Structures are given as structure tokens and as C-alpha cells.
Amino acid sequence: MRGVVFDGTQAQVVDDLEIREPGAGEVLVAVAAAGLCHSDLSVIDGTIPFPVPVVLGHEGAGVVEAVGAGVSHVAPGDHVSLSTLANCGTCADCDRGRPTMCRKAIGRPGRPFSRGGEPLFQFACNSAFAERTIVKAVQAVKIPADLPLTSAALIGCGVLTGVGAVLNRAKVDRGDTVVVIGAGGIGLNVLQGARLAGASTIVAVDSNPAKEETARRFGATHFLGSADGDDGGVRRILPTGADHVFECVGHVGLIRQAIELLDRHGQAILLGMAGATAEASFVPAGMFLDKSILGCRYGSARPQRDIAIYAELYRQGRLLLDELVTETYPIEDFAKAADDAHHGRVARGVLTF
């Protein structure tokens, strides 16, 4: 079968992948569509260290082909959105409704794939850049069959992370003010999360002016090319600062800027993936007005609950998914899709099988 394999030097499309049968508590999914997220590119450029060879992809949707023993919530033929969160369901964090903190869901890659007899690692417990993948039962979330799979694919990472960061982690309230630094795939979902939460002022900041129209469609009330430009930047719009600033780029300078843009009692939420050893600095004295810096893993999501909610919001016309899909590519065009994503030409490119 076809898939995208990174061997530590290059990522290439291959057609000789093999995958084992699903075991107990596992689901075999025929992947129909998979979004290309910057996390996949970060594996290729080394920002995210990961063992190789690995089958890439972690944002997908498809149709269940087979289930292992003990799986009852999905069946062959069901449409599913795939989560990357392979949490155990039984530890203290899972029991408290914090599956993103489950230690068994972090950093334990399996190897369900093989190629020429050599086992290959699975990225993010998911590997959606393959015609078929195996996930834990908890990762397969049933969705209505009328959701386009090219759009549903994006729920499992970009939407869960961006919208979830707003609703679950930051808990943005009606009338709050929000600044979003970076209007890429995650940033757009933060923007629409802020819109859904009822924020009064939503400022999108991105150096690419071509992103303004899309940012406003997703919820931005203002768009700036930089946070501190010649026109006064964010402080012209929000003189005392913002209640919430989301950094969606992963640049240490922008992290400092996010902190400096906070109003009293404000919070900076870090979503962008900086390098594994990167360090950010800020002035501690500015924090003594009850300001906070929050990390956020995967939108603090509970995927079996949240994906169903987002699917219903999409059906009501309140959550934008189709509009996230800038372009679709056959899996054979992975290199073009990666280049478009790297240069910011797309909000989200989606690979199809």
C-alpha cells in the first residue's frame, strides 16, 4: 500500500508498505484524507525529534475496515475522525478527564507497519499518510457519514488544538479580548474558537497580508501585519493589552511579544512548536499583575467528546471546516503539498487516497 515514509534524510511516497491486522482494542482504518500539519514538517526538519524510519501523518479521517476484540463503539463501515491521543483510559489523569496528560499517550511509538520486512514507526500514534492505519479504539471517533472526509480529517489535530485551546485551556469568555499571533492552520482555529466563545475583539497578527481575508472569515475583527507596527499595532486597538494572547508560530521572540501584549490578569497561551532546546525570555516584573503563561497540549482535548461537538457545530454552520481546506493533493504529490505548506501558500493542504 502507499504511504509517506521519512527515513531520517528524506520523506518519500512509497507503494510497498504493509500493515498488520488489528489486535485487541485496535481499529484498522482505510484513510480517505489526511491534513498536512506543520508538525509533520517539523519531524522532517528535526524540530520534533522522532525515531526513524517512520510513516508520517497524524490528522486524518476514513472508514473503519476491521476492529479487534473488545471494540464495540465503532464497526466496519463507520466513518471516523482520528485522534492522536492514545490515552489508556484508566490512569488518574484519564479518570479526571485530562486524557492529554496520560503518560501512556506520550512518546511511546508503536511499529504496526513494515516495509521489506523492516518494521516502521508510527508517528503520533496515528500515521495518517498511509492508505491504512491502525489506531487504538479510543482514537477512532465516529462521525456522521454526511461530513466530507476531506474536511473531517482536520478535526483530529488543527481543530482540536486551536478551538480546544480557546474553549478548554484558556476558557475565553464572552466579551474577552483575544490576540492570535500566526494565522496558519492552528491560528485560524483559534480565531474561530474565539468567535464561538463570544470574544468582543479578535486581533489576528500575521506577516503575510494574503491571509487577512481568510482570518476575517474565521472570526478576526482586526488584522495586523505585525503586533508592534508603525501604526501602533495591537496597542492601538487594545491600549491596555489583551485578555488572551495565543502564540501559534513557535518563535521565541513572538513568545516574548505575546507576554508583553497582556493586560492585567491576562494569559499567554503557547501553541507553536519551538525547537526542542529553544529558550524564550521575558521580564518577570511584568507578571506580577496576575498574568499567566500557559502551555497547551492538543487543545486540552477530550476527543471522544470534543470531536462529536465540533462535528455538530459544523453541521449547524457555526464551525468552519470546508473553508480550512485550501487545496487537495493526491498522495503522490506529497512533495508539492509540503512545499506549499512550508511557504504558507495554504491554510491546510489535504492529501487524499
Side-chain angles (χ1 to χ4, degrees):
M1 67 179 184
R2 295 169 295 165
V4 179
V5 175
F6 177 59
D7 63 6
T9 302
Q10 64 176 342
Q12 61 178 328
V13 180
V14 303
D15 61 6
D16 56 352
L17 281 180
E18 296 181 350
I19 192 166
R20 62 171 173 78
E21 294 297 316
E26 294 181 333
V27 178
L28 175 66
V29 178
V31 179
L36 178 53
C37 174
H38 278 277
S39 293
D40 300 299
L41 302 181
S42 294
V43 174
I44 296 172
D45 68 21
T47 302
I48 297 178
F50 205 87
V52 295
V54 57
V55 180
L56 295 176
H58 65 285
E59 186 181 68
V63 180
V64 175
E65 279 201 351
V67 300
V71 177
S72 58
H73 75 291
V74 293
D78 284 346
H79 287 208
V80 291
S81 177
L82 301 180
S83 155
T84 68
L85 200 59
N87 60 296
C88 72
T90 59
C91 68
D93 283 308
C94 286
D95 191 52
R96 292 173 183 151
R98 302 189 307 211
T100 56
M101 296 296 102
C102 174
R103 285 169 171 78
K104 291 186 178 180
I106 303 173
R108 290 178 168 82
R111 294 195 285 184
F113 300 97
S114 62
R115 186 182 180 214
E118 178 187 13
L120 281 73
F121 287 100
Q122 184 174 40
F123 179 52
C125 304
N126 188 305
S127 289
F129 294 170
E131 288 187 79
R132 291 175 182 79
T133 192
I134 285 177
V135 297
K136 288 183 64 174
V138 72
Q139 295 176 257
V141 184
K142 187 175 178 179
I143 57 174
D146 59 357
L147 261 69
L149 290 172
T150 49
S151 298
L154 305 185
I155 301 177
C157 178
V159 176
L160 279 179
T161 299
V163 178
V166 174
L167 303 182
N168 301 328
R169 185 67 169 129
K171 299 186 185 301
V172 173
D173 201 358
R174 291 168 296 176
D176 284 356
T177 57
V178 172
V179 175
V180 181
I181 301 176
I186 299 299
L188 290 176
N189 281 297
V190 174
L191 289 171
Q192 71 171 332
R195 171 176 53 79
L196 288 167
S200 60
T201 303
I202 306 171
V203 183
V205 180
D206 199 290
S207 59
N208 184 352
K211 294 184 178 181
E212 178 172 1
E213 181 181 353
T214 302
R216 289 185 180 275
R217 182 185 308 159
F218 275 76
T221 59
H222 301 75
F223 184 92
L224 299 173
S226 68
D228 55 359
D230 294 338
D231 61 355
V234 170
R235 291 290 180 175
R236 174 178 58 82
I237 302 165
L238 300 171
T240 62
D243 296 316
H244 313 273
V245 181
F246 295 82
E247 200 284 336
C248 304
V249 179
H251 186 284
V252 294
L254 295 177
I255 291 172
R256 181 184 180 114
Q257 192 172 65
I259 296 166
E260 292 175 346
L261 288 173
L262 295 176
D263 196 355
R264 298 182 178 197
H265 208 273
Q267 51 187 18
I269 301 90
L270 310 185
L271 297 179
M273 179 64 70
T277 60
E279 297 183 1
S281 64
F282 63 94
V283 180
M287 301 299 294
F288 288 96
L289 292 171
D290 286 1
K291 299 179 184 181
S292 304
I293 303 170
L294 304 181
C296 183
R297 172 172 162 77
Y298 203 43
S300 302
R302 294 162 64 183
Q304 288 287 341
R305 178 200 67 168
D306 291 351
I307 289 176
I309 291 172
Y310 299 154
E312 182 57 31
L313 288 173
Y314 166 80
R315 297 175 87 189
Q316 294 174 7
R318 298 170 62 193
L319 184 81
L320 305 181
L321 293 179
D322 302 339
E323 294 82 357
L324 284 169
V325 182
T326 310
E327 189 167 346
T328 59
Y329 309 80
I331 189 67
E332 290 79 10
D333 287 348
F334 170 77
K336 182 179 186 306
D339 188 65
D340 286 347
H342 177 71
H343 288 95
R345 301 185 191 108
V346 293
R348 248 328 181 253
V350 175
L351 300 171
T352 59
F353 293 92

